[in-house]
Amino acid sequence: MTAVEHELSEPAQRRLGVPGPLMLSILGVLWRANRPLRMSDIRQRVSEKYKPVALTTVSSTLSRMKERGWISKPRDGVYQAVITRRNLAADISDKLAALIDDTVLAIEEV
């Protein structure tokens, strides 16, 4: 299973604040480019490598990723990754560990 095929449900992803498959695809494109890219270039690369996606979907996803602080828009029309692979992995790991701890505590209370 690749990173973009993980099995965490979409509601769980939102609740935990972890990236879904499209966000991971976009981050992968930006990390590989190692430079700012235009939205249309991001869409094209995601569509070629992962799956076809509409420009409006990429636009709204980029906005959510920017709000989370994972990407930046250093100048008009271009985006770049701010978060590193290592930091994203650590963040996801911390969130999953907290979820497990909360689940264990809830089970112990029953």
Side-chain angles (χ1 to χ4, degrees):
M1 179 176 357
T2 66
V4 295
E5 295 171 347
H6 61 77
E7 298 297 324
L8 195 58
S9 70
E10 190 174 323
Q13 291 167 5
R14 272 194 233 109
R15 206 170 42 251
L16 289 172
V18 299
L22 180 56
M23 288 182 179
L24 287 172
S25 300
I26 290 171
L27 284 169
V29 163
L30 291 171
W31 286 328
R32 276 189 300 285
N34 203 26
R35 65 180 175 86
L37 292 175
R38 294 194 168 285
M39 186 185 321
S40 59
D41 294 328
I42 294 168
R43 188 202 75 68
Q44 179 183 8
R45 292 177 187 201
V46 167
S47 293
E48 288 172 356
K49 184 150 179 75
Y50 301 102
K51 68 176 187 169
V53 63
L55 192 59
T56 54
T57 302
V58 172
S59 176
S60 60
T61 303
L62 287 169
S63 293
R64 286 192 302 278
M65 293 171 72
K66 188 172 180 285
E67 288 171 9
R68 294 181 185 186
W70 295 342
I71 64 170
S72 68
K73 194 174 178 183
R75 49 183 208 273
D76 209 23
V78 297
Y79 298 84
Q80 68 184 27
V82 174
I83 194 164
T84 64
R85 286 179 172 99
R86 182 177 301 240
N87 288 345
L88 180 62
D91 185 45
I92 292 170
S93 176
D94 291 346
K95 288 176 180 178
L96 290 174
L99 175 65
I100 292 167
D101 290 345
D102 291 347
T103 302
V104 168
L105 288 173
I107 291 169
E108 289 173 352
E109 292 176 2
V110 173

mmCIF file of all heavy atoms in Angstrom, residues 63-100:
data_model
loop_
_atom_site.group_PDB
_atom_site.id
_atom_site.type_symbol
_atom_site.label_atom_id
_atom_site.label_comp_id
_atom_site.label_asym_id
_atom_site.label_seq_id
_atom_site.Cartn_x
_atom_site.Cartn_y
_atom_site.Cartn_z
ATOM 1 N N SER A 63 -6.084 25.604 -0.686
ATOM 2 C CA SER A 63 -6.520 26.575 0.334
ATOM 3 C C SER A 63 -6.536 25.941 1.719
ATOM 4 O O SER A 63 -6.060 26.540 2.695
ATOM 5 C CB SER A 63 -7.915 27.113 0.002
ATOM 6 O OG SER A 63 -7.868 27.890 -1.164
ATOM 7 N N ARG A 64 -7.084 24.720 1.817
ATOM 8 C CA ARG A 64 -7.114 24.032 3.122
ATOM 9 C C ARG A 64 -5.702 23.715 3.611
ATOM 10 O O ARG A 64 -5.401 23.827 4.805
ATOM 11 C CB ARG A 64 -7.958 22.758 3.031
ATOM 12 C CG ARG A 64 -9.449 23.041 2.967
ATOM 13 C CD ARG A 64 -10.287 21.798 3.172
ATOM 14 N NE ARG A 64 -10.026 20.724 2.229
ATOM 15 C CZ ARG A 64 -10.535 20.636 1.003
ATOM 16 N NH1 ARG A 64 -11.353 21.565 0.566
ATOM 17 N NH2 ARG A 64 -10.259 19.624 0.225
ATOM 18 N N MET A 65 -4.833 23.325 2.694
ATOM 19 C CA MET A 65 -3.453 23.003 3.070
ATOM 20 C C MET A 65 -2.711 24.249 3.536
ATOM 21 O O MET A 65 -1.902 24.192 4.466
ATOM 22 C CB MET A 65 -2.729 22.349 1.892
ATOM 23 C CG MET A 65 -3.294 20.986 1.539
ATOM 24 S SD MET A 65 -2.621 20.325 0.002
ATOM 25 C CE MET A 65 -0.959 19.921 0.536
ATOM 26 N N LYS A 66 -3.003 25.391 2.917
ATOM 27 C CA LYS A 66 -2.379 26.655 3.316
ATOM 28 C C LYS A 66 -2.852 27.051 4.713
ATOM 29 O O LYS A 66 -2.054 27.486 5.547
ATOM 30 C CB LYS A 66 -2.699 27.738 2.300
ATOM 31 C CG LYS A 66 -1.952 29.039 2.505
ATOM 32 C CD LYS A 66 -2.185 29.972 1.328
ATOM 33 C CE LYS A 66 -1.456 31.266 1.501
ATOM 34 N NZ LYS A 66 -2.075 32.163 2.474
ATOM 35 N N GLU A 67 -4.143 26.862 4.982
ATOM 36 C CA GLU A 67 -4.690 27.161 6.310
ATOM 37 C C GLU A 67 -4.022 26.311 7.391
ATOM 38 O O GLU A 67 -3.832 26.766 8.516
ATOM 39 C CB GLU A 67 -6.198 26.907 6.335
ATOM 40 C CG GLU A 67 -7.015 27.918 5.585
ATOM 41 C CD GLU A 67 -8.480 27.518 5.456
ATOM 42 O OE1 GLU A 67 -8.897 26.523 6.094
ATOM 43 O OE2 GLU A 67 -9.201 28.189 4.705
ATOM 44 N N ARG A 68 -3.675 25.084 7.050
ATOM 45 C CA ARG A 68 -3.019 24.179 8.007
ATOM 46 C C ARG A 68 -1.525 24.469 8.157
ATOM 47 O O ARG A 68 -0.864 23.887 9.013
ATOM 48 C CB ARG A 68 -3.212 22.729 7.580
ATOM 49 C CG ARG A 68 -4.646 22.274 7.653
ATOM 50 C CD ARG A 68 -4.779 20.840 7.243
ATOM 51 N NE ARG A 68 -6.180 20.446 7.210
ATOM 52 C CZ ARG A 68 -6.589 19.216 6.990
ATOM 53 N NH1 ARG A 68 -5.723 18.255 6.776
ATOM 54 N NH2 ARG A 68 -7.869 18.937 6.971
ATOM 55 N N GLY A 69 -1.004 25.324 7.297
ATOM 56 C CA GLY A 69 0.407 25.687 7.386
ATOM 57 C C GLY A 69 1.343 24.693 6.716
ATOM 58 O O GLY A 69 2.544 24.722 6.944
ATOM 59 N N TRP A 70 0.796 23.827 5.857
ATOM 60 C CA TRP A 70 1.626 22.826 5.177
ATOM 61 C C TRP A 70 2.255 23.362 3.899
ATOM 62 O O TRP A 70 3.280 22.859 3.456
ATOM 63 C CB TRP A 70 0.801 21.596 4.831
ATOM 64 C CG TRP A 70 0.303 20.839 6.029
ATOM 65 C CD1 TRP A 70 0.784 20.922 7.315
ATOM 66 C CD2 TRP A 70 -0.772 19.920 6.070
ATOM 67 N NE1 TRP A 70 0.075 20.086 8.133
ATOM 68 C CE2 TRP A 70 -0.896 19.456 7.401
ATOM 69 C CE3 TRP A 70 -1.650 19.429 5.106
ATOM 70 C CZ2 TRP A 70 -1.847 18.523 7.787
ATOM 71 C CZ3 TRP A 70 -2.602 18.505 5.498
ATOM 72 C CH2 TRP A 70 -2.693 18.062 6.821
ATOM 73 N N ILE A 71 1.620 24.370 3.304
ATOM 74 C CA ILE A 71 2.152 24.981 2.089
ATOM 75 C C ILE A 71 2.082 26.496 2.243
ATOM 76 O O ILE A 71 1.396 27.009 3.119
ATOM 77 C CB ILE A 71 1.398 24.539 0.813
ATOM 78 C CG1 ILE A 71 -0.067 25.008 0.864
ATOM 79 C CG2 ILE A 71 1.496 23.031 0.605
ATOM 80 C CD1 ILE A 71 -0.815 24.829 -0.435
ATOM 81 N N SER A 72 2.806 27.178 1.376
ATOM 82 C CA SER A 72 2.728 28.636 1.350
ATOM 83 C C SER A 72 2.536 29.091 -0.090
ATOM 84 O O SER A 72 2.723 28.317 -1.035
ATOM 85 C CB SER A 72 3.995 29.266 1.941
ATOM 86 O OG SER A 72 5.095 29.031 1.097
ATOM 87 N N LYS A 73 2.174 30.331 -0.207
ATOM 88 C CA LYS A 73 1.989 30.959 -1.513
ATOM 89 C C LYS A 73 2.914 32.171 -1.535
ATOM 90 O O LYS A 73 2.490 33.298 -1.275
ATOM 91 C CB LYS A 73 0.515 31.350 -1.673
ATOM 92 C CG LYS A 73 0.105 31.710 -3.053
ATOM 93 C CD LYS A 73 -1.406 31.936 -3.077
ATOM 94 C CE LYS A 73 -1.858 32.351 -4.450
ATOM 95 N NZ LYS A 73 -3.295 32.647 -4.462
ATOM 96 N N PRO A 74 4.222 31.938 -1.816
ATOM 97 C CA PRO A 74 5.206 33.014 -1.698
ATOM 98 C C PRO A 74 4.973 34.183 -2.647
ATOM 99 O O PRO A 74 5.350 35.299 -2.346
ATOM 100 C CB PRO A 74 6.530 32.323 -1.983
ATOM 101 C CG PRO A 74 6.189 31.092 -2.733
ATOM 102 C CD PRO A 74 4.815 30.695 -2.288
ATOM 103 N N ARG A 75 4.393 33.916 -3.774
ATOM 104 C CA ARG A 75 3.999 35.003 -4.669
ATOM 105 C C ARG A 75 2.740 34.566 -5.389
ATOM 106 O O ARG A 75 2.373 33.385 -5.376
ATOM 107 C CB ARG A 75 5.106 35.387 -5.637
ATOM 108 C CG ARG A 75 5.758 34.273 -6.380
ATOM 109 C CD ARG A 75 6.896 34.798 -7.252
ATOM 110 N NE ARG A 75 7.057 33.920 -8.376
ATOM 111 C CZ ARG A 75 7.813 32.840 -8.367
ATOM 112 N NH1 ARG A 75 8.494 32.521 -7.290
ATOM 113 N NH2 ARG A 75 7.897 32.072 -9.423
ATOM 114 N N ASP A 76 2.078 35.518 -5.992
ATOM 115 C CA ASP A 76 0.773 35.259 -6.580
ATOM 116 C C ASP A 76 0.807 34.101 -7.572
ATOM 117 O O ASP A 76 1.598 34.099 -8.508
ATOM 118 C CB ASP A 76 0.264 36.532 -7.267
ATOM 119 C CG ASP A 76 -1.242 36.606 -7.270
ATOM 120 O OD1 ASP A 76 -1.860 35.960 -6.403
ATOM 121 O OD2 ASP A 76 -1.786 37.304 -8.136
ATOM 122 N N GLY A 77 -0.042 33.126 -7.317
ATOM 123 C CA GLY A 77 -0.213 32.039 -8.279
ATOM 124 C C GLY A 77 0.707 30.851 -8.128
ATOM 125 O O GLY A 77 0.580 29.896 -8.883
ATOM 126 N N VAL A 78 1.656 30.881 -7.199
ATOM 127 C CA VAL A 78 2.539 29.730 -7.019
ATOM 128 C C VAL A 78 2.480 29.232 -5.573
ATOM 129 O O VAL A 78 2.212 30.001 -4.651
ATOM 130 C CB VAL A 78 4.008 30.028 -7.409
ATOM 131 C CG1 VAL A 78 4.136 30.372 -8.879
ATOM 132 C CG2 VAL A 78 4.598 31.119 -6.548
ATOM 133 N N TYR A 79 2.741 27.944 -5.416
ATOM 134 C CA TYR A 79 2.682 27.307 -4.107
ATOM 135 C C TYR A 79 3.945 26.495 -3.875
ATOM 136 O O TYR A 79 4.541 25.982 -4.824
ATOM 137 C CB TYR A 79 1.475 26.367 -4.033
ATOM 138 C CG TYR A 79 0.160 27.075 -4.199
ATOM 139 C CD1 TYR A 79 -0.355 27.359 -5.463
ATOM 140 C CD2 TYR A 79 -0.565 27.477 -3.091
ATOM 141 C CE1 TYR A 79 -1.558 28.019 -5.619
ATOM 142 C CE2 TYR A 79 -1.774 28.141 -3.234
ATOM 143 C CZ TYR A 79 -2.260 28.406 -4.503
ATOM 144 O OH TYR A 79 -3.446 29.068 -4.644
ATOM 145 N N GLN A 80 4.315 26.375 -2.605
ATOM 146 C CA GLN A 80 5.449 25.516 -2.265
ATOM 147 C C GLN A 80 5.175 24.838 -0.926
ATOM 148 O O GLN A 80 4.416 25.344 -0.114
ATOM 149 C CB GLN A 80 6.755 26.295 -2.204
ATOM 150 C CG GLN A 80 6.857 27.286 -1.071
ATOM 151 C CD GLN A 80 8.151 28.090 -1.134
ATOM 152 O OE1 GLN A 80 8.713 28.288 -2.203
ATOM 153 N NE2 GLN A 80 8.600 28.557 0.004
ATOM 154 N N ALA A 81 5.780 23.686 -0.733
ATOM 155 C CA ALA A 81 5.623 22.961 0.520
ATOM 156 C C ALA A 81 6.408 23.672 1.612
ATOM 157 O O ALA A 81 7.531 24.111 1.399
ATOM 158 C CB ALA A 81 6.117 21.525 0.360
ATOM 159 N N VAL A 82 5.799 23.796 2.769
ATOM 160 C CA VAL A 82 6.457 24.371 3.936
ATOM 161 C C VAL A 82 6.842 23.246 4.889
ATOM 162 O O VAL A 82 7.928 23.245 5.457
ATOM 163 C CB VAL A 82 5.529 25.389 4.649
ATOM 164 C CG1 VAL A 82 6.146 25.874 5.938
ATOM 165 C CG2 VAL A 82 5.220 26.554 3.729
ATOM 166 N N ILE A 83 5.957 22.281 5.030
ATOM 167 C CA ILE A 83 6.207 21.172 5.940
ATOM 168 C C ILE A 83 7.087 20.122 5.238
ATOM 169 O O ILE A 83 6.940 19.892 4.038
ATOM 170 C CB ILE A 83 4.880 20.546 6.435
ATOM 171 C CG1 ILE A 83 5.143 19.638 7.633
ATOM 172 C CG2 ILE A 83 4.141 19.823 5.315
ATOM 173 C CD1 ILE A 83 3.897 19.295 8.412
ATOM 174 N N THR A 84 8.002 19.565 5.973
ATOM 175 C CA THR A 84 8.864 18.512 5.418
ATOM 176 C C THR A 84 8.195 17.152 5.595
ATOM 177 O O THR A 84 7.266 17.010 6.403
ATOM 178 C CB THR A 84 10.233 18.477 6.129
ATOM 179 O OG1 THR A 84 10.015 18.114 7.506
ATOM 180 C CG2 THR A 84 10.944 19.826 6.037
ATOM 181 N N ARG A 85 8.683 16.179 4.857
ATOM 182 C CA ARG A 85 8.160 14.812 5.013
ATOM 183 C C ARG A 85 8.297 14.358 6.458
ATOM 184 O O ARG A 85 7.375 13.783 7.042
ATOM 185 C CB ARG A 85 8.928 13.852 4.112
ATOM 186 C CG ARG A 85 8.594 13.955 2.660
ATOM 187 C CD ARG A 85 9.462 12.961 1.867
ATOM 188 N NE ARG A 85 9.039 12.891 0.499
ATOM 189 C CZ ARG A 85 9.628 13.540 -0.504
ATOM 190 N NH1 ARG A 85 10.656 14.318 -0.260
ATOM 191 N NH2 ARG A 85 9.186 13.414 -1.723
ATOM 192 N N ARG A 86 9.459 14.591 7.026
ATOM 193 C CA ARG A 86 9.735 14.147 8.397
ATOM 194 C C ARG A 86 8.789 14.810 9.403
ATOM 195 O O ARG A 86 8.243 14.157 10.287
ATOM 196 C CB ARG A 86 11.180 14.448 8.759
ATOM 197 C CG ARG A 86 11.582 13.970 10.145
ATOM 198 C CD ARG A 86 13.041 14.251 10.378
ATOM 199 N NE ARG A 86 13.826 13.571 9.373
ATOM 200 C CZ ARG A 86 14.743 12.654 9.645
ATOM 201 N NH1 ARG A 86 14.993 12.333 10.879
ATOM 202 N NH2 ARG A 86 15.417 12.083 8.689
ATOM 203 N N ASN A 87 8.582 16.123 9.264
ATOM 204 C CA ASN A 87 7.697 16.830 10.188
ATOM 205 C C ASN A 87 6.240 16.397 10.028
ATOM 206 O O ASN A 87 5.512 16.282 11.013
ATOM 207 C CB ASN A 87 7.819 18.339 10.028
ATOM 208 C CG ASN A 87 9.130 18.875 10.568
ATOM 209 O OD1 ASN A 87 9.837 18.190 11.296
ATOM 210 N ND2 ASN A 87 9.469 20.090 10.202
ATOM 211 N N LEU A 88 5.821 16.150 8.788
ATOM 212 C CA LEU A 88 4.456 15.683 8.562
ATOM 213 C C LEU A 88 4.272 14.296 9.181
ATOM 214 O O LEU A 88 3.270 14.034 9.852
ATOM 215 C CB LEU A 88 4.124 15.651 7.075
ATOM 216 C CG LEU A 88 2.708 15.180 6.741
ATOM 217 C CD1 LEU A 88 1.665 16.116 7.336
ATOM 218 C CD2 LEU A 88 2.527 15.047 5.239
ATOM 219 N N ALA A 89 5.239 13.412 8.980
ATOM 220 C CA ALA A 89 5.154 12.064 9.549
ATOM 221 C C ALA A 89 5.110 12.120 11.076
ATOM 222 O O ALA A 89 4.317 11.408 11.709
ATOM 223 C CB ALA A 89 6.332 11.222 9.079
ATOM 224 N N ALA A 90 5.911 12.979 11.667
ATOM 225 C CA ALA A 90 5.916 13.120 13.124
ATOM 226 C C ALA A 90 4.580 13.664 13.617
ATOM 227 O O ALA A 90 4.044 13.200 14.636
ATOM 228 C CB ALA A 90 7.059 14.031 13.562
ATOM 229 N N ASP A 91 4.025 14.631 12.897
ATOM 230 C CA ASP A 91 2.738 15.215 13.267
ATOM 231 C C ASP A 91 1.627 14.160 13.208
ATOM 232 O O ASP A 91 0.815 14.047 14.130
ATOM 233 C CB ASP A 91 2.417 16.386 12.335
ATOM 234 C CG ASP A 91 1.156 17.134 12.730
ATOM 235 O OD1 ASP A 91 0.980 17.410 13.934
ATOM 236 O OD2 ASP A 91 0.357 17.438 11.833
ATOM 237 N N ILE A 92 1.601 13.382 12.141
ATOM 238 C CA ILE A 92 0.593 12.325 12.002
ATOM 239 C C ILE A 92 0.770 11.286 13.098
ATOM 240 O O ILE A 92 -0.200 10.845 13.723
ATOM 241 C CB ILE A 92 0.670 11.677 10.598
ATOM 242 C CG1 ILE A 92 0.224 12.687 9.535
ATOM 243 C CG2 ILE A 92 -0.190 10.410 10.543
ATOM 244 C CD1 ILE A 92 0.484 12.234 8.117
ATOM 245 N N SER A 93 1.995 10.917 13.363
ATOM 246 C CA SER A 93 2.284 9.935 14.410
ATOM 247 C C SER A 93 1.793 10.426 15.770
ATOM 248 O O SER A 93 1.169 9.674 16.529
ATOM 249 C CB SER A 93 3.784 9.659 14.449
ATOM 250 O OG SER A 93 4.102 8.787 15.491
ATOM 251 N N ASP A 94 2.056 11.684 16.078
ATOM 252 C CA ASP A 94 1.608 12.260 17.350
ATOM 253 C C ASP A 94 0.084 12.250 17.461
ATOM 254 O O ASP A 94 -0.472 11.928 18.513
ATOM 255 C CB ASP A 94 2.110 13.698 17.512
ATOM 256 C CG ASP A 94 3.621 13.781 17.708
ATOM 257 O OD1 ASP A 94 4.257 12.744 17.993
ATOM 258 O OD2 ASP A 94 4.163 14.901 17.559
ATOM 259 N N LYS A 95 -0.591 12.603 16.370
ATOM 260 C CA LYS A 95 -2.055 12.641 16.390
ATOM 261 C C LYS A 95 -2.648 11.245 16.540
ATOM 262 O O LYS A 95 -3.623 11.055 17.277
ATOM 263 C CB LYS A 95 -2.578 13.327 15.128
ATOM 264 C CG LYS A 95 -2.314 14.822 15.141
ATOM 265 C CD LYS A 95 -2.731 15.487 13.870
ATOM 266 C CE LYS A 95 -2.444 16.983 13.962
ATOM 267 N NZ LYS A 95 -2.769 17.699 12.759
ATOM 268 N N LEU A 96 -2.061 10.275 15.864
ATOM 269 C CA LEU A 96 -2.552 8.904 15.990
ATOM 270 C C LEU A 96 -2.284 8.352 17.391
ATOM 271 O O LEU A 96 -3.123 7.650 17.963
ATOM 272 C CB LEU A 96 -1.937 8.009 14.920
ATOM 273 C CG LEU A 96 -2.413 8.273 13.493
ATOM 274 C CD1 LEU A 96 -1.624 7.424 12.503
ATOM 275 C CD2 LEU A 96 -3.894 8.010 13.360
ATOM 276 N N ALA A 97 -1.135 8.671 17.950
ATOM 277 C CA ALA A 97 -0.813 8.228 19.312
ATOM 278 C C ALA A 97 -1.805 8.820 20.310
ATOM 279 O O ALA A 97 -2.280 8.123 21.220
ATOM 280 C CB ALA A 97 0.616 8.611 19.678
ATOM 281 N N ALA A 98 -2.145 10.089 20.141
ATOM 282 C CA ALA A 98 -3.116 10.727 21.031
ATOM 283 C C ALA A 98 -4.488 10.072 20.882
ATOM 284 O O ALA A 98 -5.192 9.859 21.880
ATOM 285 C CB ALA A 98 -3.201 12.219 20.729
ATOM 286 N N LEU A 99 -4.864 9.724 19.648
ATOM 287 C CA LEU A 99 -6.139 9.051 19.420
ATOM 288 C C LEU A 99 -6.160 7.690 20.114
ATOM 289 O O LEU A 99 -7.144 7.324 20.768
ATOM 290 C CB LEU A 99 -6.392 8.879 17.921
ATOM 291 C CG LEU A 99 -7.639 8.083 17.544
ATOM 292 C CD1 LEU A 99 -8.895 8.807 17.988
ATOM 293 C CD2 LEU A 99 -7.662 7.823 16.051
ATOM 294 N N ILE A 100 -5.068 6.963 20.018
ATOM 295 C CA ILE A 100 -4.973 5.659 20.678
ATOM 296 C C ILE A 100 -5.057 5.821 22.189
ATOM 297 O O ILE A 100 -5.780 5.086 22.868
ATOM 298 C CB ILE A 100 -3.684 4.925 20.254
ATOM 299 C CG1 ILE A 100 -3.786 4.529 18.780
ATOM 300 C CG2 ILE A 100 -3.417 3.706 21.141
ATOM 301 C CD1 ILE A 100 -2.484 4.073 18.157
#
